[in-house]
Amino acid sequence: MNNPQAPFVGLIAHHPGPCPVRGHGDAFHQATVEQGLPATEYFRLSGIRDCARQTGGLCSFWMGERLALYQLNNRPLLDDECLAASTEANHELFGGFLGSLHISDPQRAHKRRVVEQALGSQRFIDGLKPDICRLAAAYLRPLQDQPLCMEHLALQWVSHVDSHLPGVLDCRVKTLAQYLEDERFRAVVGGFFEQASKVISHDDTQGLEQHQALMPFVKDLLLSNFQSICAAPASNLILGHFALWGLAFTRQNIEALNLDRALEIGTIIIATYDTTALSLLWSMAHIERSPQTKREVIAAACATRDQAPHVIDLAVMEALRLGGSNPTVLWRRTIKACEIEHAGQRLVIPPDTLLWLDRWQANRDPNVFPRPEVFDPGNILVLQENGDQPHAFCTSLLARNRYDINSFSMLNTRRNPRKCPGRLFSVRMQSLLLRELYGHYEVSSEGIDLSLRRHSAMPKPARPGVITLRPKASGAPSDE
Ligand code: HEM
């Protein structure tokens, strides 16, 4: 089939790509799957990014036989109902997870509520603060004075704290940190989101073959932790899902869990710690590589009174802008003809168009951020709007209708109804862990390389580096 060269002549710039028949399809596959380039790199090297930059942030191209639009800014272009479910392309991996349901599906509201009533509630999260601080401190204490791989530390630390928090996962008998070390499960548990991201960011469907592998992990986790989950507060995400399915939380029902439900709860469990851990890794790596910000973070972590906005909250948001834990470029598919506005004109894009958002670049938009390529909490401060309260500024920034930074949505749609329901919890958790780290330890590091790792669909630092923690002379780390 010969593709038309430019589907939106005079409206949207078009990049033909290396092949007159398949456009960018084969070259993209070769670059991302075979050479291991991050997807954002492909769009730079291919010239699509420049093409979009010169023409208001959008550019059309052919991805094989599929029409595609590339977007370079965080402006919401259309309503969510015009799009297939976010995880349509990899729904086999996620089972009944709500991300795989169309926005109009009535089950979505119940499923979202299970997560939002706990992790989306400021009151619930505030109530967790003493537990997070206590657990975070206790975890670090035996690790003093030894070199630690920063990536391993972030994953183990977050999964340990998440496992113990009352009313979240309550996996205290055999923790997620232990599962990540268990050779029977660690490959599938540790690599789950990486597989899912390969499908959606690199268009590499091989990961879909893994979809059944999560089942034994989920059953083992629920059975091993049966007692602690049974005794958990009602907000517990696992109990919430059993209630949603109309099932009593019994050993028998766990044994009989079908694949759809096992994958659904498995996805929620892994989403809870894995995403936060990767974002925390970026936060620590950037702070370690930015001497001025590190000094400010240490001062803020040691201060007896919090300033507002807190510099550590700003640093977490800034690391989410530059790093974060969803792929550098993501796509969703239109399911009907939909109107968008571009360069002052209205145009209709047809069903079955792939909308690709390069969030890695959109989060570095020079029209929004004064120092787009530099880790500087000042980039976040400029986002303050009239009416943002200084002490709640980062919470306002995470609101559904804020589009300044894309780290919690696949695409930015109007009113963002799918924006991650775990975002408030995740940002708060990172902020409290960093206060513990920099408030009680002299932190030194070496070997960090912040460029993007090859052969990784999730954005990871090329080298996460090694850090060493030494207790501060001013006193031993506290339990508080
Ligand atoms: C830094 C941490 C996190 C990041 C970067 C992140 C990112 C995302 C992204 C990009 C989406 C897709 C939204 C869309 O479809 O447009 C999402 C959805 C979701 N996330 Fe997170 N997430 C994080 C933490 C969490 C946590 C802690 C949970 C806890 C369970 C969680 C649960 C979910 C759920 C249930 C959805 C589906 C929402 C829906 O379809 O309405 N996430 N997240």
Side-chain angles (χ1 to χ4, degrees):
M1 190 183 89
N2 232 337
N3 292 320
Q5 286 301 297
F8 306 105
V9 180
L11 296 168
I12 298 181
H14 184 74
H15 197 285
C19 172
V21 180
R22 293 187 38 80
H24 288 266
D26 299 335
F28 180 78
H29 183 86
Q30 216 169 33
T32 55
V33 179
E34 290 167 29
Q35 293 167 25
L37 282 187
T40 185
E41 264 306 283
Y42 176 80
F43 287 105
R44 180 178 72 83
L45 293 169
S46 64
I48 291 183
R49 188 202 296 176
D50 266 351
C51 180
R53 181 165 288 144
Q54 285 158 24
T55 53
L58 276 186
C59 169
S60 65
F61 64 101
W62 288 94
M63 187 61 107
E65 301 196 339
R66 307 176 82 175
L67 175 60
L69 276 189
Y70 169 86
Q71 189 184 0
L72 191 54
N73 55 43
N74 279 329
R75 187 166 68 92
L77 287 179
L78 35 73
D79 293 331
D80 206 287
E81 62 167 35
C82 301
L83 296 163
S86 294
T87 51
E88 181 199 48
N90 49 12
H91 70 276
E92 288 100 319
L93 288 172
F94 293 136
F97 178 62
L98 71 167
S100 305
L101 301 177
H102 184 256
I103 199 67
S104 64
D105 191 311
Q107 292 182 66
R108 277 188 46 84
H110 306 295
K111 294 192 179 210
R112 243 190 110 94
R113 201 170 307 128
V114 174
V115 180
E116 258 180 342
Q117 69 188 4
L119 307 188
S121 152
Q122 196 63 58
R123 208 162 141 226
F124 178 83
I125 298 168
D126 287 346
L128 290 177
K129 181 180 172 187
D131 288 306
I132 296 177
C133 296
R134 175 180 55 81
L135 290 161
Y139 184 83
L140 289 186
R141 211 167 297 125
L143 302 180
Q144 297 167 24
D145 297 319
Q146 45 182 300
L148 305 163
C149 165
M150 201 136 76
E151 187 168 1
H152 189 251
L153 172 68
L155 189 58
Q156 286 287 317
W157 197 16
V158 171
S159 57
H160 172 85
V161 174
D162 275 350
S163 300
H164 284 277
L165 283 178
V168 179
L169 296 172
D170 302 279
C171 293
R172 280 186 279 277
V173 181
K174 183 168 177 184
T175 66
L176 289 155
Q178 289 171 292
Y179 277 95
L180 285 161
E181 301 278 271
D182 183 329
E183 61 184 40
R184 274 179 307 159
F185 300 112
R186 71 171 171 226
V188 61
V189 181
F192 181 68
F193 274 5
E194 175 60 21
Q195 292 299 341
S197 303
K198 276 194 175 135
V199 182
I200 196 82
S201 183
H202 291 179
D203 223 4
D204 176 6
T205 48
Q206 265 186 4
L208 294 175
E209 289 156 18
Q210 294 294 318
H211 72 288
Q212 297 207 358
L214 207 59
M215 179 90 149
F217 155 72
V218 170
K219 289 195 176 173
D220 196 275
L221 179 86
L222 302 189
L223 289 170
S224 301
N225 289 292
F226 184 72
Q227 295 295 358
S228 65
I229 298 170
C230 276
S235 56
N236 176 284
L237 301 180
I238 297 163
L239 292 180
H241 278 80
F242 273 75
L244 182 84
W245 301 325
L247 291 180
F249 186 69
T250 62
R251 288 184 188 277
Q252 210 178 12
N253 283 337
I254 295 171
E255 296 280 11
L257 217 53
N258 64 31
L259 183 62
D260 215 42
R261 287 175 173 167
L263 292 177
E264 177 175 9
I265 193 62
T267 302
I268 295 281
I269 291 166
I270 297 178
T272 307
Y273 66 87
D274 194 79
T275 49
T276 304
L278 178 53
S279 288
L280 180 68
L281 172 61
W282 281 112
S283 300
M284 293 193 296
H286 276 295
I287 292 169
E288 283 301 306
R289 290 296 306 275
S290 314
Q292 174 60 23
T293 304
K294 184 171 173 180
R295 277 191 290 277
E296 290 169 15
V297 163
I298 295 170
C302 297
T304 44
R305 289 188 58 190
D306 280 356
Q307 84 265 62
H310 200 284
V311 73
I312 297 185
D313 294 343
L314 298 177
V316 170
M317 293 304 301
E318 175 67 345
L320 275 161
R321 178 181 78 85
L322 288 176
S325 37
N326 54 327
T328 57
V329 189
L330 285 158
W331 59 268
R332 288 181 66 190
R333 181 177 69 85
T334 58
I335 50 173
K336 55 183 176 185
C338 40
E339 199 179 78
I340 64 166
E341 225 187 271
H342 178 59
Q345 305 196 64
R346 286 176 182 276
L347 63 138
V348 175
I349 52 175
D352 250 340
T353 306
L354 306 182
L355 292 189
W356 289 77
L357 171 64
D358 190 336
R359 73 164 196 99
W360 200 257
Q361 287 310 312
N363 286 353
R364 288 161 168 76
D365 188 339
N367 299 314
V368 179
F369 302 102
R371 302 178 74 201
E373 299 292 339
V374 179
F375 178 77
D376 176 358
N379 281 318
I380 304 298
L381 271 178
V382 300
L383 303 175
Q384 283 193 90
E385 289 178 354
N386 284 342
D388 282 342
Q389 301 294 327
H391 65 278
F393 166 52
C394 289
T395 308
S396 310
L397 208 52
L398 290 167
R400 281 199 200 179
N401 62 354
R402 294 290 291 263
Y403 303 97
D404 322 72
I405 297 172
N406 175 301
S407 277
F408 292 108
S409 306
M410 300 242 316
L411 298 188
N412 301 304
T413 56
R414 295 189 196 113
R415 294 177 302 283
N416 249 338
R418 292 179 186 266
K419 197 162 186 174
C420 172
R423 62 195 189 279
L424 285 182
F425 168 76
S426 177
V427 166
R428 184 73 177 142
M429 166 79 93
Q430 290 181 62
S431 184
L432 292 174
L433 297 189
L434 291 171
R435 284 177 212 209
E436 184 56 42
L437 184 68
Y438 288 101
H440 292 117
Y441 295 93
E442 307 278 357
V443 180
S444 57
S445 61
E446 58 182 32
I448 298 169
D449 178 348
L450 290 166
S451 59
L452 274 169
R453 192 178 298 177
R454 297 281 173 108
H455 293 285
S456 177
M458 281 298 240
K460 292 183 180 161
R463 283 192 298 141
V466 167
I467 67 170
T468 309
L469 318 182
R470 296 195 177 76
K472 288 207 161 152
S474 52
S478 77
D479 276 23
E480 242 292 284

